[in-house]
C-alpha cells in the first residue's frame, strides 16, 4: 500500500533522491548538455569537412573506356579530376577558374571556382564540351576555349536507353514502349496494349511521387547486342488490392493509393518480360508521335516497327523477376538470340535461371537453388536489400557462373549450358559477396569475399581473382581493411577505396592483372573533424546469446570519458535480416551515434545473429520468428560490455532505430522491459502482416497457419505485447509513408490505449518513410536526454541542416 507524504517531509527525501541520481550518473548526468557541439558531428556537417573520402569513377563511354573522371572534395570545395590509367596520370579535368569565369559571363552571375554549382555533367559532341544544369539553366561549355552558352532548362526529359548501334533511343511513355532516332526525329510507338498498373518498362508512381509529381521515369528494358530486340519488363498489378493514404495538410485532404500486396493475399503482382522484335523500314514526315519526341518529322527517315511482341512464359510462376544485374551484364547472349532471366517464387525459397529464345519467346530453366528458409543471389554492401544478383552466362552459353549458399556458405559454382555442374570454383568457411567482373577470354573471375583472411574482421570485403576451373585463387587487395571496388568497363583496371571503421579511406587505382597499385588517387584528410574532437568508433567482439558465437560491433564513447562515472548506454539497432545494425563496415566519420556520444551516452551497434555476410546458418537464425530481432544478442553483448567497462550503467539502457529498427526497438522495450528503459522508434513495421510480401514473406515465410491453426505472423507483431510496456516509448511515423504504412504504428497505439499504457507520439504530416530531418533528430535527443540521462534538454533547440 502507498501512503501519502506531507510536502514538508517529502522535500528532504527529494533532495536526497536527486543527490543519489547525480552520484549514480556521475559526470554523465551532471554535465551540461551541449546540443550545438553534438550537432557538429551529424553526417551532413562532417562529410563536408573530410577531404578526399570518396571517389566515384565515371568511365568514359567512347574511346579509351579505362579512363574516368570524378568529383573530389578538397576540404574547401570541390574539383573535377580526370584519370588516365595507361599514363598513370591524375589531372584537373578543366581549369576551374576559367570555367567559373565563362559561366559568370554567360549567366550574368558570379561563380566561385572551387564551388561550381553542379556535381555531374555529360560530354557534348567531344571531350572538349560539357553540358550540365545549374541554377535552373542549361549550360553548354567549351572547356578548351572556355566559353559557355546558357539556355532555359527543359521542363522534363524522358530517360532514354540507347541501342548498341547508337541509332535508336528507347523509352516508356503513358504505359507503352517507344523508340526515336538518336539524331532527332519523331517517336515511334512500338506497343499499344499498355495500361495502368500493367505498363511496359515501369510501374505506376508511388503515392509520394504522385503527390510531388513523378518526374522522368527510367524504363526497365535491355536492347539485344545486335539492336534487333528489346527486352522490356512488365508487371501486372491490375487486380492487386491497394493500400490507401491521406494527405491532411491541404484544405481539402487528398487521397492516394497504390497496389500493395500483403502476406496472405491470393492476388499478387505478376512480373513478366516481353521481347519486342524490331524491323526497320522508312517513315514519311509526320508519321510519328511528335509530341513525345524532341524533333520534327524527317522525310524518308529510318524507322522501326514492332514486328512481334512476345510475352515470355516461365515456370514455375515468378514472384520477382530480373534480366539485369549480373556482373558483368550477360542478360543477352553475344549474338542476341538468347535472353537470360533470374526469378524467385513466392516466399523466396526457390530461385531459377532461365534462357529465353528471342525468336520464339519460349523458355527453359537452366538451373536453380532451393531451401527451406530463403535463397539469395549475392551479398553486396551492408545497405543492399537482398544482395545484387551474381550470375554470368558465357557468350557461347556453355559456361554459367552461379552464386549459391547450397553448402552453407556463399560460393561460386560453374555449370554448363544444360545446368550440369562442371566444378566448384570457390569453397571454404568464408563468404563470396558477388562477382564484379568476368574476363571470359582469360577464363578469370574477379569477386569480393569476406572472412577468408585469418585474424581479420570477417565483415571486411576483399577482392580476389580465380580461374573458371577454381585454380589460381589470388588476393588482389592485401590491405587489412574493407575494400569497395569499381571495375573499368574494359576490365584492365579497377578503383579500390579501402578503409577501416576507425581508419580513414584511401583510394588507389590498381591493375586487374595482379592488383598492383598504379597510383594513389586520394587519401582522406580527417584533420578538420579531429580538431572538433572526433573520436573514432571502437570495433569490438563479444559472444552471442549462445555464449559461443563471436559477434562484432562498434562502440562510440563520450568525450573526456571519466571511467569512475556511470554513463547510460543506447543500442542503435537495425535487425535485418537483409543487413545489420552497423551497415557498411567502412570508415565512420560522423552521424547520430557520434552526436549522441557527445551528449554523454555510450552508443553501440551490434551485428547480431540473423544478419548477412557470415554463414547461411548464421543468417537463418531467426527465420520465421520476426519478433526475435536479435534482441537477445543485444542484451547479452551489452552485459558483456558493462563487465569490461564499469562506466556503463546497466540500469539506464536505451534503444532506437528506424523502419526495421523501429520495429525492433519497440519490440525490445515491450518484451524485455526489465532491461530496456527508453526506446525511440521511427516508422516501424510493427506488424508484418501489413508489410509487403517481398520482404515479409521472404524472412517470415508465406503467411498461413500452423498445425494448431495459429497465424504464423501474430506472435511477431508488436501490438501483441503492448500491455508489457513499463518504460518510456516514443513512436514516430509519417502519415504519407508509402513503404511502411502508418497503420502499423496506429495499431500499436490502439493496443497501448486499450492496455492503459503511457507513451509518446510524433506524427509527421506529409512525410514519407525517411525521418532523418533536424526536427525528428532533435526530438529523439530530447527524449533520451530527459528520460535516460536525467537532464533537461535545451528548449526547442533548432538543428540546422546545411543548404545543398
Amino acid at each position: 500500500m502507498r501512503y501519502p507524504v506531507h510536502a514538508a517531509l517529502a522535500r528532504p527525501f527529494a533532495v536526497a533522491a536527486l543527490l543519489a541520481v547525480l552520484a549514480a550518473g556521475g559526470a554523465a548526468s551532471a554535465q551540461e548538455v551541449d546540443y550545438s557541439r553534438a550537432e557538429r558531428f551529424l553526417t551532413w556537417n562532417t562529410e563536408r569537412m573530410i577531404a578526399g573520402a570518396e571517389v566515384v569513377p565515371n568511365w568514359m563511354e567512347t574511346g579509351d573506356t579505362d579512363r574516368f573522371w570524378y568529383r573530389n572534395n578538397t576540404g574547401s570545395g570541390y574539383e573535377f579530376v580526370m584519370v588516365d590509367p595507361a599514363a598513370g596520370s591524375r589531372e584537373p579535368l578543366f581549369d576551374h577558374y576559367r570555367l567559373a569565369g565563362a559561366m559568370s559571363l554567360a549567366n550574368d552571375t558570379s561563380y566561385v571556382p572551387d564551388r561550381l554549382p553542379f556535381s555531374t555533367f555529360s560530354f557534348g559532341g567531344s571531350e572538349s564540351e560539357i553540358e550540365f544544369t545549374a541554377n535552373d539553366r542549361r549550360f553548354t561549355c567549351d572547356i578548351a576555349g572556355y566559353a559557355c552558352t546558357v539556355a532555359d532548362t527543359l521542363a522534363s526529359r524522358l530517360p532514354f536507353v540507347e541501342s548498341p548501334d547508337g541509332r535508336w533511343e528507347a523509352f516508356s511513355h503513358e504505359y507503352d514502349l517507344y523508340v526515336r532516332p538518336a539524331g532527332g526525329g519523331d517517336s515511334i510507338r512500338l506497343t499499344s496494349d499498355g495500361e495502368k498498373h500493367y505498363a511496359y518498362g515501369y510501374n505506376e508512381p508511388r503515392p509520394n511521387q504522385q503527390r510531388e509529381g513523378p518526374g522522368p521515369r527510367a524504363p526497365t528494358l535491355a536492347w539485344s547486342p545486335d539492336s534487333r530486340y528489346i527486352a522490356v519488363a512488365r508487371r501486372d498489378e491490375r487486380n492487386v488490392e491497394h493500400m490507401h493514404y491521406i494527405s491532411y495538410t491541404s484544405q481539402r485532404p487528398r487521397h492516394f493509393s497504390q497496389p500493395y500486396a500483403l502476406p496472405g493475399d491470393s492476388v499478387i503482382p505478376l512480373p513478366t518480360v516481353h521481347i519486342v522484335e524490331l524491323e526497320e523500314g522508312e517513315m514519311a514526315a509526320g508519321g510519328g508521335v511528335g509530341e513525345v519526341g524532341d524533333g520534327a518529322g524527317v522525310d524518308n527517315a529510318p524507322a522501326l516497327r514492332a514486328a512481334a511482341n512476345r510475352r515470355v512464359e516461365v515456370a514455375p510462376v515468378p514472384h520477382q523477376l530480373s534480366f539485369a544485374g549480373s556482373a558483368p551484364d550477360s542478360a543477352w547472349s553475344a549474338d542476341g538470340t538468347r535472353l537470360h532471366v533470374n526469378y524467385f517464387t513466392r516466399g523466396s525459397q526457390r530461385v531459377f535461371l532461365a534462357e529465353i529464345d528471342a525468336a520464339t519467346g519460349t523458355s527453359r530453366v537452366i538451373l536453380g537453388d532451393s531451401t527451406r528458409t530463403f535463397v539469395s543471389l549475392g551479398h553486396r554492401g551492408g545497405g543492399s536489400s537482398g544482395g545484387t544478383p551474381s550470375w554470368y552466362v558465357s557468350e557461347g552459353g556453355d559456361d554459367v557462373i552461379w552464386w549459391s549458399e547450397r553448402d552453407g556458405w556463399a560460393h561460386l559454382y560453374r555449370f554448363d549450358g544444360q545446368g550440369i555442374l562442371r566444378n566448384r570454383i570457390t569453397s571454404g568457411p568464408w563468404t563470396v559477396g558477388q562477382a564484379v567482373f568476368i574476363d571470359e577470354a582469360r577464363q578469370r573471375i574477379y569477386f569480393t569475399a569476406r572472412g577468408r583472411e585469418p585474424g581479420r574482421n570477417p565483415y571486411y570485403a576483399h577482392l580476389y581473382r580465380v580461374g573458371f576451373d577454381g585454380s589460381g585463387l589470388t588476393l588482389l587487395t592485401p590491405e587489412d581493411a574493407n575494400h569497395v571496388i569499381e571495375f573499368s568497363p574494359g576490365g584492365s583496371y579497377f578503383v579500390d577505396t579501402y578503409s577501416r571503421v576507425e581508419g580513414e579511406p584511401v583510394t588507389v587505382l590498381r591493375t586487374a592483372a595482379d592488383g598492383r597499385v598504379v597510383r594513389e588517387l586520394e587519401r582522406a584528410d580527417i584533420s578538420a573533424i579531429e580538431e572538433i574532437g572526433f573520436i573514432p568508433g571502437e570495433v569490438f567482439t563479444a559472444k552471442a546469446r549462445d555464449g559461443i558465437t563471436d559477434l562484432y560491433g562498434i562502440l562510440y564513447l563520450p568525450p573526456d570519458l571519466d571511467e569512475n562515472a556511470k554513463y547510460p548506454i543506447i543500442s542503435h539497432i537495425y535487425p535485418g535480416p537483409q543487413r545489420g545494425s552497423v551497415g557498411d563496415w567502412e570508415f565512420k566519420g560522423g552521424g547520430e551515434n557520434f552526436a549522441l556520444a557527445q551528449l554523454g551516452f555510450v552508443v553501440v551497434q551490434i551485428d547480431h545473429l540473423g544478419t548477412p555476410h557470415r554463414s547461411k546458418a548464421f543468417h537463418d537464425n531467426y527465420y520465421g520468428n520476426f519478433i526475435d530481432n536479435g534482441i537477445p544478442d543485444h542484451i547479452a553483448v551489452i552485459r558483456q560490455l558493462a563487465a569490461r567497462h564499469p562506466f556503463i550503467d546497466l540500469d539506464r539502457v536505451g534503444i532506437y532505430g528506424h523502419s526495421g529498427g523501429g520495429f525492433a526497438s519497440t519490440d525490445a522495450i515491450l518484451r524485455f522491459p526489465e532491461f530496456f528503459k527508453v526506446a525511440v522508434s521511427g516508422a516501424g513495421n510493427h506488424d508484418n502482416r501489413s508489410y509487403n510480401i517481398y520482404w515479409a514473406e521472404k524472412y517470415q515465410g508465406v503467411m498461413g497457419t500452423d498445425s494448431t491453426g495459429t497465424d504464423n505472423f501474430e506472435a511477431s507483431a508488436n501490438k501483441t505485447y503492448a500491455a508489457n510496456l513499463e518504460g518510456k516509448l516514443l513512436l514516430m511515423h509519417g502519415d504519407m509513408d508509402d513503404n511502411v504504412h502508418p497503420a502499423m504504428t496506429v495499431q500499436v497505439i490502439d493496443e497501448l490505449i486499450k492496455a492503459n499504457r503511457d507513451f509518446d507520439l510524433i506524427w509527421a504530416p506529409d512525410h514519407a518513410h525517411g525521418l532523418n530531418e533536424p526536427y525528428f533528430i532533435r526530438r529523439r535527443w530530447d527524449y533520451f536526454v530527459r528520460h535516460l540521462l536525467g537532464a533537461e534538454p535545451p528548449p526547442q533547440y533548432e538543428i540546422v541542416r546545411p543548404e545543398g
Side-chain angles (χ1 to χ4, degrees):
M1 181 177 291
R2 186 171 296 170
Y3 295 93
V5 179
H6 191 277
L9 296 175
R11 191 172 297 113
F13 292 101
V15 172
L18 176 61
L19 292 174
V21 168
L22 291 176
S29 291
Q31 72 178 11
E32 180 183 352
V33 182
D34 188 349
Y35 275 35
S36 62
R37 179 180 176 85
E39 181 183 356
R40 300 181 70 182
F41 286 85
L42 291 174
T43 303
W44 53 57
N45 291 319
T46 59
E47 68 182 0
R48 296 182 173 210
M49 301 168 67
I50 303 173
E54 183 179 38
V55 173
V56 179
N58 296 270
W59 305 100
M60 301 299 286
E61 296 181 358
T62 58
D64 181 358
T65 57
D66 286 328
R67 291 184 303 136
F68 62 95
W69 64 268
Y70 64 95
R71 183 174 182 253
N72 179 49
N73 181 357
T74 64
S76 60
Y78 295 88
E79 62 178 346
F80 291 83
V81 177
M82 175 66 83
V83 176
D84 185 341
S89 63
R90 176 198 179 280
E91 304 289 345
L93 178 59
F94 45 73
D95 185 320
H96 291 66
Y97 176 81
R98 294 184 67 187
L99 182 60
M103 291 175 62
S104 299
L105 287 173
N107 202 35
D108 195 23
T109 304
S110 180
Y111 294 101
V112 179
D114 61 355
R115 296 183 184 273
L116 297 174
F118 61 94
S119 58
T120 189
F121 64 87
S122 60
F123 286 101
S126 68
E127 290 183 16
S128 64
E129 182 180 89
I130 61 173
E131 299 175 345
F132 54 88
T133 299
N135 304 117
D136 297 323
R137 307 295 300 278
R138 186 72 181 173
F139 285 77
T140 301
C141 295
D142 178 353
I143 56 174
Y146 290 96
C148 295
T149 59
V150 180
D152 290 335
T153 303
L154 295 175
S156 65
R157 297 193 67 178
L158 291 170
F160 302 105
V161 180
E162 188 176 72
S163 61
D165 62 12
R167 302 176 62 205
W168 302 96
E169 296 171 333
F171 61 97
S172 298
H173 176 69
E174 291 183 350
Y175 314 132
D176 280 302
L177 179 67
Y178 290 78
V179 294
R180 72 172 194 175
D186 286 335
S187 300
I188 306 157
R189 188 174 186 168
L190 297 178
T191 66
S192 59
D193 60 336
E195 59 180 295
K196 189 172 186 178
H197 303 311
Y198 194 28
Y200 286 90
Y202 67 88
N203 302 318
E204 283 295 293
R206 293 171 62 161
N208 281 289
Q209 294 172 318
Q210 298 170 32
R211 182 172 59 88
E212 299 169 358
R217 289 166 290 184
T220 304
L221 59 85
W223 287 89
S224 63
D226 59 4
S227 303
R228 181 181 176 185
Y229 301 100
I230 299 176
V232 57
R234 197 178 184 199
R235 189 164 72 180
D236 188 354
E237 298 180 303
R238 289 172 295 180
N239 297 310
V240 175
E241 288 197 52
H242 282 226
M243 292 288 266
H244 300 270
Y245 310 83
I246 302 292
S247 170
Y248 292 99
T249 53
S250 58
Q251 196 64 36
R252 185 183 298 276
R254 301 169 63 198
H255 168 259
F256 303 89
S257 74
Q258 65 174 334
Y260 193 107
L262 300 179
D265 283 358
S266 58
V267 179
I268 64 174
L270 176 61
T272 63
V273 59
H274 285 242
I275 296 181
V276 179
E277 183 177 0
L278 304 176
E279 184 175 86
E280 191 163 331
E282 290 187 351
M283 177 179 64
V289 186
E291 68 272 13
V292 178
D294 293 333
V298 180
D299 286 336
N300 298 320
L304 291 185
R305 72 178 185 88
N309 177 4
R310 304 180 182 94
R311 171 177 160 160
V312 176
E313 302 290 345
V314 295
V317 175
H319 175 54
Q320 291 176 280
L321 182 149
S322 173
F323 52 84
S326 50
D329 180 28
S330 63
W332 281 102
S333 61
D335 61 7
T337 62
R338 292 168 284 116
L339 174 71
H340 304 104
V341 300
N342 72 268
Y343 57 96
F344 295 83
T345 57
R346 186 168 183 176
S348 298
Q349 292 182 315
R350 293 190 294 171
V351 64
F352 299 94
L353 179 67
E355 180 182 275
I356 298 165
D357 186 316
T360 64
T362 57
S363 68
R364 67 178 182 91
V365 170
I366 299 175
L367 58 92
D369 270 332
S370 64
T371 177
R372 67 169 187 82
T373 56
F374 58 89
V375 288
S376 300
L377 264 185
H379 291 160
R380 193 176 181 180
S384 177
S385 179
T388 299
S390 194
W391 51 267
Y392 177 83
V393 181
S394 65
E395 291 188 5
D398 52 351
D399 269 317
V400 179
I401 309 301
W402 184 250
W403 185 100
S404 174
E405 294 178 295
R406 58 183 58 192
D407 77 342
W409 296 87
H411 283 293
L412 297 176
Y413 296 78
R414 180 191 184 195
F415 295 84
D416 68 13
Q418 303 304 312
I420 298 173
L421 180 65
R422 285 188 164 180
N423 58 268
R424 290 195 60 150
I425 299 172
T426 62
S427 62
W430 46 279
T431 62
V432 171
Q434 64 172 167
V436 295
F437 189 81
I438 309 290
D439 185 343
E440 192 172 332
R442 294 181 175 86
Q443 297 276 285
R444 291 175 176 176
I445 304 164
Y446 296 84
F447 65 94
T448 58
R450 297 171 173 85
R452 183 177 181 270
E453 306 309 313
R456 296 189 178 184
N457 187 319
Y459 290 98
Y460 285 164
H462 294 75
L463 182 73
Y464 298 84
R465 185 189 68 228
V466 69
F468 275 29
D469 60 1
S471 64
L473 180 61
T474 304
L475 172 66
L476 296 177
T477 53
E479 297 83 1
D480 185 4
N482 183 65
H483 295 259
V484 178
I485 307 299
E486 291 283 349
F487 253 83
S488 69
S492 298
Y493 302 90
F494 63 92
V495 174
D496 172 19
T497 299
Y498 61 89
S499 67
R500 299 170 61 91
V501 166
E502 73 284 2
E504 59 269 28
V506 177
T507 302
V508 295
L509 175 68
R510 297 182 188 265
T511 63
D514 55 11
R516 176 179 57 84
V517 175
V518 176
R519 67 166 298 140
E520 182 176 296
L521 298 175
E522 304 294 339
R523 182 174 293 267
D525 180 359
I526 64 170
S527 59
I529 60 173
E530 288 178 328
E531 289 176 2
I532 65 171
F534 172 74
I535 302 173
E538 177 184 318
V539 176
F540 67 86
T541 61
K543 296 300 181 182
R545 69 190 81 176
D546 60 9
I548 300 172
T549 307
D550 285 332
L551 299 180
Y552 290 73
I554 305 176
L555 199 62
Y556 305 86
L557 299 176
D560 305 318
L561 182 75
D562 180 355
E563 301 225 4
N564 296 315
K566 287 286 189 179
Y567 295 84
I569 185 169
I570 298 172
S571 182
H572 181 196
I573 188 170
Y574 187 85
Q578 80 279 13
R579 59 170 290 179
S581 298
V582 171
D584 294 325
W585 279 82
E586 59 191 14
F587 178 63
K588 309 291 184 184
E592 191 166 358
N593 295 323
F594 289 95
L596 286 168
Q598 293 294 319
L599 295 177
F601 299 99
V602 174
V603 185
V604 64
Q605 291 174 298
I606 304 160
D607 274 2
H608 50 252
L609 294 174
T611 53
H613 303 312
R614 305 276 289 271
S615 69
K616 177 62 172 167
F618 188 101
H619 199 185
D620 281 349
N621 187 263
Y622 61 91
Y623 171 81
N625 181 29
F626 262 142
I627 201 66
D628 180 284
N629 274 315
I631 302 299
D633 294 320
H634 286 248
I635 294 173
V637 169
I638 290 172
R639 290 191 185 280
Q640 292 169 66
L641 290 174
R644 298 176 195 173
H645 307 294
F647 55 79
I648 293 175
D649 187 352
L650 284 180
D651 290 326
R652 292 185 293 164
V653 181
I655 189 168
Y656 83 100
H658 184 78
S659 191
F663 169 39
S665 53
T666 301
D667 164 25
I669 201 168
L670 293 182
R671 293 199 307 122
F672 302 94
E674 73 288 349
F675 191 81
F676 294 99
K677 302 303 191 296
V678 182
V680 179
S681 303
N685 49 310
H686 300 288
D687 185 344
N688 287 289
R689 289 173 291 192
S690 296
Y691 195 46
N692 78 71
I693 54 173
Y694 303 108
W695 190 83
E697 290 191 348
K698 178 174 182 176
Y699 297 113
Q700 180 68 15
V702 176
M703 184 172 174
T705 55
D706 62 21
S707 58
T708 65
T710 302
D711 178 348
N712 65 324
F713 274 70
E714 182 178 12
S716 292
N718 278 334
K719 64 186 181 185
T720 306
Y721 308 96
N724 293 347
L725 180 62
E726 295 178 11
K728 304 295 294 186
L729 170 63
L730 172 60
L731 299 167
M732 300 182 182
H733 217 125
D735 64 2
M736 283 295 295
D737 188 338
D738 53 15
N739 178 9
V740 175
H741 200 284
M744 283 187 260
T745 291
V746 172
Q747 291 161 10
V748 173
I749 292 169
D750 183 41
E751 293 300 324
L752 289 169
I753 291 172
K754 290 176 181 176
N756 195 33
R757 293 295 183 265
D758 292 342
F759 64 94
D760 293 286
L761 173 69
I762 295 176
W763 207 244
D766 275 354
H767 276 70
H769 189 53
L771 295 177
N772 189 36
E773 297 178 22
Y775 179 82
F776 306 106
I777 293 172
R778 192 266 292 179
R779 293 296 301 273
R780 188 156 51 231
W781 294 1
D782 288 352
Y783 209 74
F784 283 129
V785 165
R786 184 174 288 119
H787 299 299
L788 203 61
L789 194 63
E792 190 61 27
Q796 298 183 24
Y797 182 87
E798 184 176 7
I799 295 174
V800 179
R801 184 171 185 164
E803 294 184 1

